[in-house]
Amino acid sequence: MAITKPKPKATVDDFIAAAPDAETKARGVKKGNKQQISLTIAPALLVKIDNLAAELGQSRAAVINMAIYRAVEHGLLKE
Amino acid sequence: MIYTVGNTKGGVGKTTLAVNLAIARALAGRDVWLIDGDRQGTAQMAISIRADTGHTPNIACASYPDGVTLRTQVKHQASKFEDIIIDAGGRDSTALRAALVLSDVLIVPFQPRSYDVWALNDMAALIDEARSVRDGLRAFAVLNCADSGDSSIDNKEAAEAVADYPQFEYLAAPIRRRKSFANAAGQGLSVLELKPTDKKAVHELNTLINLLF
């Protein structure tokens, strides 16, 4: 039987991508056009968010996103 | 055949040598493709100056500072050329690594200076890595910008230092530090074309070419 060479551990692509100027892969998990992050939150605040979400008929994530959007676009401290 | 003139260290005369080799091969009637794998684009600039001044033969030249693009393009187009000369490096880069994967022959120019000799260590490590993913890469170390005179101690010691790196074969065809190389390269010319002729430079380049090709 012919002897099969072991496959090299590193591939040519790995070798090239190991150069310092190679583009680094984006970290984290992509979900469609969005990126998944992990967020810890005070339970009391979470209850308030969920209540607001129920009131608006939105999801929790949508309310958090809207709040962040407002903060980023219009300033965090503005009334 | 695919030749790469490369070194992770900058300022060793890679581009000057690559441009000279490419033009010399074209003058010898070969179909040559010069690839500039350096972001600075010096080889590309030299060849465009050559084209602007109407010097023939024309040299096909492409610039691929990105290793993945370089690899893809060379694979697609390699069969259209007889000699492909890749100028890559100055630092460890995707282009240099891609060139190491593609090339039949690697030419590593180095000056007879301590820093250059130390840098051979980095290059040797990269060659080892390249050889772990491919077979048949020949690597030659060539003295560039060597001191004048056959009795130069620095040239001799630098050449001997190559023996410490079994990754390289030392090619006994030193190119010495001559203004004609730089002047020619600046005009997109090889020393073979420069007027008035620098006979010593021409002899050195031809000696190297006879050993390489």
Side-chain angles (χ1 to χ4, degrees):
Chain A
M1 202 170 83
I3 293 167
T4 312
K5 268 190 173 182
K7 256 180 90 174
K9 279 180 195 146
T11 64
V12 166
D13 292 326
D14 296 334
F15 171 63
I16 294 173
D21 67 331
E23 274 180 36
T24 47
K25 279 184 192 158
R27 295 177 63 190
V29 182
K30 293 275 272 181
K31 296 254 171 146
N33 291 326
K34 295 197 173 181
Q35 179 152 355
Q36 181 178 299
I37 59 165
S38 96
L39 171 74
T40 51
I41 191 166
L45 184 56
L46 186 60
V47 170
K48 284 186 178 179
I49 289 171
D50 285 344
N51 289 341
L52 180 61
E55 211 175 286
L56 297 172
Q58 298 283 338
S59 68
R60 176 195 284 173
V63 172
I64 294 173
N65 268 306
M66 282 191 279
I68 293 172
Y69 181 83
R70 282 187 63 167
V72 170
E73 293 297 319
H74 305 291
L76 194 58
L77 301 175
K78 240 179 175 177
E79 285 299 314
Chain B
M1 290 268 273
I2 303 177
Y3 301 82
T4 290
V5 183
N7 194 336
T8 45
K9 188 177 181 309
V12 294
K14 287 179 303 296
T15 304
T16 305
L17 194 57
V19 167
N20 268 286
L21 290 176
I23 297 173
R25 293 303 282 166
L27 287 168
R30 306 277 291 181
D31 271 335
V32 176
W33 190 21
L34 176 64
I35 296 173
D36 192 342
D38 192 338
R39 275 174 214 288
Q40 289 177 353
T42 314
Q44 175 85 283
M45 174 72 80
I47 295 305
S48 71
I49 289 170
R50 177 186 183 84
D52 289 347
T53 49
H55 278 98
T56 53
N58 294 322
I59 307 289
C61 181
S63 181
Y64 301 123
D66 172 60
V68 176
T69 317
L70 189 152
R71 182 161 171 246
T72 316
Q73 287 301 316
V74 172
K75 273 170 129 179
H76 285 172
Q77 305 190 51
S79 61
K80 296 176 188 163
F81 298 92
E82 291 172 302
D83 289 327
I84 298 175
I85 316 269
I86 306 173
D87 169 26
R91 66 200 76 81
D92 183 3
S93 68
T94 54
L96 177 60
R97 284 171 182 248
L100 290 183
V101 168
L102 293 164
S103 297
D104 301 295
V105 175
L106 169 67
I107 303 151
V108 182
F110 71 110
Q111 298 189 28
R113 303 286 173 257
S114 299
Y115 293 176
D116 283 56
V117 172
W118 299 348
L120 286 179
N121 194 34
D122 295 339
M123 202 56 217
L126 204 55
I127 291 170
D128 276 342
E129 232 182 294
R131 282 178 175 154
S132 73
V133 297
R134 57 154 298 175
D135 294 322
L137 171 67
R138 294 193 73 186
F140 295 109
V142 178
L143 262 185
N144 196 27
C145 301
D147 293 340
S148 57
D150 289 328
S151 57
S152 159
I153 305 258
D154 290 356
N155 287 355
K156 187 168 165 283
E157 287 186 358
E160 284 167 2
V162 177
D164 293 341
Y165 303 101
Q167 291 86 349
F168 300 102
E169 296 168 58
Y170 176 69
L171 213 53
I175 302 285
R176 294 177 205 280
R177 183 180 290 278
R178 299 185 191 284
K179 288 192 83 166
S180 51
F181 281 107
N183 290 347
Q187 300 169 55
L189 300 176
S190 122
V191 286
L192 306 179
E193 303 165 296
L194 195 68
K195 299 281 183 249
T197 307
D198 180 342
K199 282 183 188 162
K200 288 178 178 173
V202 169
H203 175 70
E204 285 168 8
L205 183 60
N206 281 332
T207 306
L208 176 64
I209 285 168
N210 288 337
L211 286 176
L212 277 175
F213 296 97

